[in-house]
Amino acid sequence: MGRPHLGLLAAGVQFIAPAPAAQVKDDVYAALDFSQATIVDWTPDRDADRPAEQGEFYRVLEDTHTLNGPRKSDPPLTVRRILVHSTANAAGQQAARAKLLAKATEELRKLTAAAGGRHYRTTEKITARVGLIAAKRRVTSCLRFTVTENEHGIPALA
């Protein structure tokens, strides 16, 4: 692939291209202050017949982002970045997260009930199973748990 940002620097590029939201790191979104965003005066065609308060709307924030090359000697390229937040996309993502969390919660309830039983006699087995559930349901960043043992060494999950 080479060092594409060097070509961009040499060409004096002013605009790169839109990037899917999935390519922007989570910490960038977490740091956004939507109170500073500008609401865009635009209505998608699919919302044209809906009352304004029921339709989707977009907020826009602008900042800069520095692209670093793969080598330390590569000069950095600072570009203007425009982040667009869609209320419909956010609602869809929230619903998807809720569904994943509900499934993980049910699996964790079953594991909590089974902790200390025939299949989950050790803290290590319980911790490994929690890790599998969290990875499968993509809830690792949301999950907090503890495994304790009673006076007889029987583990319990909370």
Side-chain angles (χ1 to χ4, degrees), residues 56-68:
E56 166 178 22
F57 67 93
Y58 297 86
R59 292 180 265 203
V60 177
L61 290 165
E62 181 178 340
D63 70 357
T64 57
H65 178 67
T66 300
L67 300 169
N68 294 307

Side-chain angles (χ1 to χ4, degrees), residues 18-79:
Q23 291 183 2
V24 178
K25 294 184 178 175
D26 289 341
D27 58 339
V28 171
Y29 288 115
L32 295 179
D33 180 3
F34 285 117
S35 69
Q36 301 298 312
T38 302
I39 294 179
V40 178
D41 184 18
W42 179 75
T43 303
D45 290 342
R46 67 180 169 270
D47 289 345
D49 295 335
R50 290 185 188 172
E53 65 276 358
Q54 291 179 6
E56 166 178 22
F57 67 93
Y58 297 86
R59 292 180 265 203
V60 177
L61 290 165
E62 181 178 340
D63 70 357
T64 57
H65 178 67
T66 300
L67 300 169
N68 294 307
R71 298 181 186 159
K72 287 185 180 186
S73 61
D74 291 340
L77 172 62
T78 301
V79 295

